[in-house]
Structures are given as C-alpha cells and as structure tokens.
Amino acid sequence: MTQPTTVDIFSPTFKANPYPTYVSLRDNQPICRIITPEGQPLWLITRYEDCLAVLKDDRFVKNVRAMLTPEQAAQFPPMPEALKPLSANMLDMDGASHDRLRSLVHKAFTPRLIEKMQGRIQTIADTLLDKAQARGEMEFMTDFAFPLPITVIGEMLGIPSDVYQQFREWTNALLNTGLTENVEHLLPVVQAFIDYLRELFEQRRQQPADDLISALIRAEESGDTLSEDELLAMVFILIVAGHETTVNLIGNGTLALLQNPDQLALLRRDPSLIKSAMEELLRFCGPLETATERYASTDIAIGGEIIPQGEMVLVGLASANRDPRQFENPEVLDITRQNNRHIAFGQGVHYCVGAPLARLETQIAFTTLLRRLPNLALNADSEAIAWRPSFVIRGLERLPVKF
Ligand code: HEM
C-alpha cells in the first residue's frame, strides 16, 4: 500500500482553494490514503472515472456496522443512544433496506408536489428581496441563500417558520463536525432536534394536514409503512439534505458569477441560458466537496491500490467535476457548456432524491436575483470571504453584497 499522503485536506488553506491540491492528487495519487487529525485512515478518490466507479459499486457500503465481524465491531466506536433513531435514514442504508425507504419517500415526494411549489418559491424569493432592496446591501447567506430553501422544505414538510433559524443552528453544528471527530458534544443538539420532530409527528397523527409529514405518515407501499424511527430519520434527512446543499449552491453560484463578470453579463443578456448555467454552477462550485462516506465491505482493488475491508472512502465530487479527463477547460466557468455530465448530485443508488426540487429552487433564485438586482456586486474583498470549516460541505460563512 502507498504511504498516506501528507496533504492536509482539513486545513483552512485547503478549504479556501482545494483545486490545486486536486490537480496534484488526480495526477499523482488519484486513490489517496489520508490520516485524519483524529488518526483515522480514509481514502479520497479524485478522478472522475474512479469516482463514478465507486458510486456505482455496491461493494462500497454505507452501513459499515452491518458488515463488520464481531471482532471488528468491538473496535468500532459505539453509536451514542441519541443518534440511533437517526441512523434509520436511507442515506446510511444499503440494498433492500435502502430501496424500501426510497420507494416510500417517492410515494410522498412526487413530481406533482414539487411542480406545485413553483409559484410559492417565486413568492418566497420576491419577498426576501423586497425586504433587502431598500437597504442597498445584504449579507447574502443570511438574507437570501439560507431562508429560501429552508422555507421551501419547511413549508413542504409542514414545519412552522418560527423554528427555521433554530434548524440552521442545529444542522450547522452537525455538518461542521469533522468526519471522525467525537460527536458527544452534539448529543444535546440532536436530542433537541428529535424531541421537536416527535412532538410535531404526534400533532400530525392527531390532525393530518396537506403536507409532506402527513403524506409520509400515510405513505404505503405493498402494505408497508414507515415506523416512527424511520419517519424521524426520513424527515431529518430531508431537512438536512434539503436545505444545506441548496443554500450553498445559491451562495457559491452567486460568488462564482460575481467573480466571473463576463459570464454574469452573458446570463443577464440571455436569461434563456439559465438551465445550462445552473448545471455549470453545480459542476464548478457544487455544495458538496465529497459524497457522504462509504466503507469497503471487502478488500477492493481500484486504480492500482487495495482498499482494505472496513476502511472509509470519500468520493471527491468537487475534484471529479474539474477533472480534465472528463471536462474541457475544467477550471473555466462556462455557462454555455454542453454535455455537462457533472456528478454534483451523486450517481448510482443514492443519487439525490431532491435534484428536481433543488434545480427548480436554484433556477428561480438566480433568475429573480439577476432580474431584480441589476447592480449586484461583492461588498467585501474576495480574500476576506471565508469558507465553512465542514469537510463534506463546500459553502460560505458569509457573503456581503451590495446592489
Ligand atoms: C443543490 C442541491 C443539492 C445537491 C448538490 C445534492 C446532492 C446530493 C448528493 C451528492 C447525494 C448523494 C450522496 C452520496 O451518495 O453520498 C444526495 C442524496 C440525497 N439528497 Fe440531495 N442534493 C441537493 C438537494 C437536495 C434536496 C433539495 C433534497 C430534498 C428535499 C435532497 C435530498 C436528498 C436525499 C434524501 C438523499 C439520499 C438519497 C439516497 O440515499 O438514496 N437533496 N444529494
């Protein structure tokens, strides 16, 4: 096995601009073993073809605990009790258990439901800009990028708006935690999240409403329904995956357009380019640095390396999306790019359930922004813009803008 790399993918310098490191890793160590600050080994995959291969290979599994021998399991840190109910979410499952949850969510989270949201998403975007417009400036993440997706998923689920800010704090705490860091300090946060949702479920069981939580309670496939813990895990994953990602695509995409004024001007001149522009922003600055972690269920040979059974694997989505073996001029933002086969929504069985909703939201967000704020500009030096410390999420701490 090759020696672990000395690249510190957890440092703020890497986070500020990981792309030169990705160039070097793709060329020299495309299947790269890294030791985390906590001393855990993990594998980072950086070439497009290898990333696709891992995402489509069912020997890389999500639920590591289900495939460990009793001896290996004894060495694995026990899962804190508070987290157990959330582990029943589809993104942490494999095979038939995963397929079952995915069919149940498809029963409730239908294309019709998403289409129905179009007018409402437009109203939410307009209302947020109405509030900001007179001020001539805003902190874009807090005033626009965050409230839009959380309001959309919150309203779809039927969650009252007074807790959205609380949700932001809960999910930020969860996602800013290192991959192999001890999670003890998060337990009160998770418990508060769980208690809140359980109470809401009780209300919906008593009094069903026209919302996704009520539909998930009713969702049934061949006589099968979600258990209470599965419902909790499903709503939890829809809230976390349903806003953290879209928030950061809107933030990263806006920054990328402001830093590439020719592309911004082109999109303003020809708004019909919005669909290819959005796909290009997903490729160029998608909100996930990597897919969520997978584990080798057996020793697996890939790209001249053997990934030993039980070790963690991260698929480098941001790197794959800039691999010159797949994309011409990958470091260039080109909103007219054709045949853009980016993997910002993943690939294979865990391909993003929310992709159609995310596309609809971001399309409305960018179109509305450009139409209503013709003088949109950065209100800070590019160097002063800080990235969130989370490894998996690629997102901005703050984005001051003026208009
Ligand atoms: C720009 C926005 C989004 C991006 C870039 C994105 C990206 C992804 C990616 C890469 C995965 C696969 C992760 C893996 O394989 O490890 C995924 C899965 C998932 N996403 Fe999204 N997502 C977005 C928005 C959403 C939204 C709006 C929702 C729901 C409302 C959502 C719900 C989910 C769920 C439930 C899964 C798990 C699917 C499964 O395990 O079968 N996502 N997403």
Side-chain angles (χ1 to χ4, degrees), residues 221-376:
E221 169 86 1
S222 318
D224 184 17
T225 53
L226 293 169
S227 72
E228 178 76 15
D229 278 356
E230 287 168 345
L231 175 65
L232 180 70
M234 181 75 84
V235 171
F236 173 80
I237 193 81
L238 288 173
I239 293 170
V240 176
H243 86 272
E244 279 285 1
T245 47
T246 316
V247 169
N248 291 308
L249 177 61
I250 297 174
N252 300 354
T254 302
L255 177 65
L257 287 171
L258 292 173
Q259 289 176 330
N260 290 271
D262 60 324
Q263 298 297 296
L264 178 58
L266 179 59
L267 187 56
R268 282 194 192 283
R269 270 200 315 277
D270 184 358
S272 74
L273 288 172
I274 185 66
K275 285 212 160 75
S276 61
M278 202 174 55
E279 297 308 317
E280 178 65 347
L281 293 171
L282 277 156
R283 181 195 73 81
F284 188 77
C285 56
L288 292 179
E289 196 81 57
T290 69
T292 54
E293 65 273 26
R294 282 158 172 73
Y295 297 87
S297 63
T298 176
D299 291 356
I300 302 175
I302 176 166
E305 298 285 350
I306 306 278
I307 301 186
Q309 188 211 356
E311 290 204 353
M312 186 193 286
V313 178
L314 287 178
V315 171
L317 303 176
S319 171
N321 283 336
R322 291 199 186 194
D323 186 347
R325 295 157 192 81
Q326 174 67 23
F327 300 99
E328 214 172 294
N329 297 327
E331 306 294 342
V332 173
L333 179 74
D334 170 7
I335 62 164
T336 65
R337 190 181 290 274
Q338 297 298 308
N339 196 23
N340 185 346
R341 299 163 71 89
H342 68 75
I343 52 169
F345 286 120
Q347 191 61 243
V349 291
H350 292 284
Y351 180 82
C352 180
V353 163
L357 176 62
R359 285 191 163 109
L360 181 64
E361 285 181 67
T362 35
Q363 190 172 326
I364 294 175
F366 285 121
T367 312
T368 312
L369 262 182
L370 299 190
R371 180 169 43 78
R372 294 204 37 190
L373 304 179
N375 299 316
L376 186 67

Side-chain angles (χ1 to χ4, degrees), residues 378-398:
L378 269 182
N379 202 10
D381 287 343
S382 274
E383 301 76 59
I385 289 173
W387 294 88
R388 278 174 53 183
S390 157
F391 181 66
V392 171
I393 291 279
R394 173 146 202 85
L396 295 163
E397 292 274 22
R398 292 164 44 76

